[in-house]
Amino acid sequence: MTASSSPRTSPGLATRVIPCLDVAAGRVVKGVNFLDLQDAGDPVELAARYAEQGADELTFLDVTASTEGRGTTYDLVTRTAEQVFIPLTVGGGVRSVEDVRVLLACGADKVGVNSAAIARPALLDEISSTFGNQVLVLSLDVKRSASTASGFVVTSHGGRTDTGIDALSWASEAIERGAGELLVNSMDADGTKAGFDLELTRLVRELSSVPVIASGGAGALEHFAPAVEAGADAVLAASVFHHRQFTIDEVKDSLAEAGVTVRRSVR
């Protein structure tokens, strides 16, 4: 970041730091580019640790629910919600208004939708009209592709299916249908620890009237501020927290040093 540039910040609004728990078979997992998933720990224990460290929110994604044709593991959601008292977003296998209703009853504050909305976009209208757009997070698993006008294509089923749909067009449609937030995960950067996809973040920010969460690629403290400068309202990471590479407080310190407003926990 040059001396003349400054991160994008909104007066009074703090940039959120969000750890992500990718869950499969009841355990937190992490891989590279959505492949070779390795065990990273117990989701309830990790959730409690991150809440203690000062996480602003927590994202819980059941990464095999859609592929396996089942719903999210509700018991894990309930036990996680009992341990943390910060906003909890849950995604994976959400296919209906009733699924959302159950997750909210289990303790989720927001619900992430991906594959089912791609298959039936009206699901977004149904969820937002029933619960409000503040509950609805569109989860976008995006990869670069020469087949679309924007150069980015959206995938489904945990990144396993290339939909052929232009990622930016889909994001715009989802906002019109009531998505209250966009979780933009770069599959190309995911797990590489090479930094966020700043081009993707900028493009989504330019079209989005709702908050944007940058996800995929965090590997060093200096990777977070550029994502905010590119337009992210929140930054999400997983393996760097799971493997104790650094803490959430350290990320917030690095953001604050770069001139980004962050929320400090009171201990």
Side-chain angles (χ1 to χ4, degrees):
M1 193 177 301
T2 64
S4 60
S5 64
S6 60
R8 174 188 173 276
T9 59
S10 300
L13 293 180
T15 296
R16 291 167 288 151
V17 178
I18 307 174
C20 182
L21 305 179
D22 293 319
V23 177
R27 299 287 292 178
V28 175
V29 296
K30 195 60 190 149
V32 177
N33 307 130
F34 283 36
L35 301 173
D36 301 322
L37 300 179
Q38 304 294 320
D39 187 278
D42 177 78
V44 180
E45 291 178 2
L46 288 175
R49 181 205 303 172
Y50 299 145
E52 174 63 24
Q53 286 183 6
D56 295 296
E57 297 184 10
L58 191 69
T59 294
F60 178 113
L61 300 177
D62 191 326
V63 295
T64 58
S66 292
T67 301
E68 295 173 0
R70 59 173 174 78
T72 300
T73 306
Y74 297 129
D75 175 62
L76 274 180
V77 175
T78 300
R79 290 193 289 122
T80 301
E82 288 172 347
Q83 292 294 318
V84 301
F85 302 98
I86 54 177
L88 174 63
T89 298
V90 180
V94 177
R95 300 179 182 84
S96 67
V97 166
E98 184 57 28
D99 289 339
V100 176
R101 197 183 310 279
V102 173
L103 285 171
L104 295 177
C106 289
D109 297 281
K110 295 184 279 188
V111 174
V113 182
N114 184 349
S115 301
I118 292 171
R120 192 173 69 84
L123 176 62
L124 299 175
D125 302 87
E126 295 165 5
I127 294 172
S128 62
S129 64
T130 303
F131 303 103
N133 67 354
Q134 76 282 352
V135 164
L136 179 57
V137 179
L138 179 72
S139 182
L140 294 140
D141 292 330
V142 178
K143 68 179 181 180
R144 291 176 180 269
S145 173
S147 66
T148 64
S150 70
F152 293 95
V153 68
V154 69
T155 69
S156 64
H157 297 85
R160 294 170 178 82
T161 302
D162 184 331
T163 67
I165 300 170
D166 187 293
L168 299 187
S169 296
W170 174 230
S172 295
E173 178 181 349
I175 293 169
E176 291 177 2
R177 289 181 177 273
E181 194 162 39
L182 302 179
L183 169 53
V184 185
N185 187 44
S186 168
M187 288 185 59
D188 303 300
D190 180 75
T192 64
K193 297 188 178 183
F196 293 93
D197 189 324
L198 302 181
E199 179 187 7
L200 175 60
T201 303
R202 288 191 190 98
L203 289 172
V204 175
R205 175 73 275 159
E206 288 172 2
L207 66 84
S208 181
S209 57
V210 301
V212 174
I213 305 170
S215 170
L221 290 173
E222 57 266 27
H223 289 158
F224 291 90
V228 179
E229 182 182 15
D233 299 276
V235 285
L236 180 148
S239 58
V240 290
F241 296 138
H242 302 339
H243 299 153
R244 300 176 187 265
Q245 185 172 337
F246 39 73
T247 67
I248 292 160
D249 275 334
E250 289 172 330
V251 172
K252 289 188 175 185
D253 286 343
S254 72
L255 288 170
E257 289 170 5
V260 177
T261 301
V262 293
R263 184 181 297 106
R264 296 295 192 178
S265 57
V266 178
R267 291 184 173 84

